[in-house]
Amino acid sequence: MKIAVFCSANNSIVDKYAKEVEELGRWMGYEGHTLVYGGANTGLMECLAKSAHEAGSMVIGVVPQILEKGGRASDYIDVDIPCDNLSDRKDLMLAQSDVTVALPGGIGTLDELFTVAASRTIGYHQKRVVLYNIGGFWNSLIALLDDLQAKGMIRGQYSDGIAVANNIEELKKELGFQI
């Protein structure tokens, strides 16, 4: 399975989430799954790429040229797919993956996960995004989605395209693996 992962490239949050992110990377590698990610050499991106690569995953980095030029591309990338900008990166990551996972992240991660969810709603694809809710990170977003749903602002059930996993076992289940 090719799993696209959206997450923070901010170094200041790594320690709080590193254990779970490394566990995800190791699981991906041991199970022979491919990691598709944004290609940066910082933050949770680098933490995940390193653990997945070292455990045997093929690591596909979809790297904007501005990161490459700035020396911010990871050394753990096996397949480098250069792109012009963040919009291209999202399109390429979606095209390269079977499912997407959102780890803790900021504005970029929100943009990525909502692009996947919105394009699914319109009918461009049937891929889901799984919010890996490490330590309750996504609780406020889940509450907002629940509120939007209750107010009738979301067509259908948002949970059809956005799933929530609170631990690695739930994540595996949401990705279609029996535990």
Side-chain angles (χ1 to χ4, degrees), residues 71-137:
R72 295 181 288 167
S74 177
D75 291 334
Y76 297 104
I77 296 172
D78 297 304
V79 177
D80 184 353
I81 300 176
C83 59
D84 293 330
N85 55 53
L86 296 177
S87 294
D88 289 345
R89 179 164 76 174
K90 288 184 295 189
D91 291 343
L92 290 164
M93 288 178 69
L94 187 57
Q96 287 290 321
S97 64
D98 300 309
V99 66
T100 61
V101 173
L103 299 178
I107 292 170
T109 303
L110 288 169
D111 176 47
E112 292 161 335
L113 76 90
F114 281 123
T115 295
V116 172
S119 59
R120 176 191 163 103
T121 300
I122 293 171
Y124 286 110
H125 62 81
Q126 289 303 307
K127 298 173 187 177
R128 294 183 330 140
V129 61
V130 181
L131 302 177
Y132 190 6
N133 195 26
I134 300 170
F137 182 85

Side-chain angles (χ1 to χ4, degrees), residues 4-14 17-18 21-22 24-25 28 35-53 59-64 67 72-77 86 89 93 101 103-109 112:
V5 179
F6 309 127
C7 60
S8 176
N10 185 341
N11 281 327
S12 68
I13 68 161
V14 172
Y17 304 104
V21 171
E22 289 169 355
L24 173 60
M28 290 178 68
L35 168 63
V36 180
Y37 85 119
N41 64 2
T42 54
L44 295 180
M45 282 196 199
E46 183 75 344
C47 180
L48 179 64
K50 180 178 190 245
S51 62
H53 181 82
V59 177
I60 299 174
V62 184
V63 187
L67 290 182
R72 295 181 288 167
S74 177
D75 291 334
Y76 297 104
I77 296 172
L86 296 177
R89 179 164 76 174
M93 288 178 69
V101 173
L103 299 178
I107 292 170
T109 303
E112 292 161 335

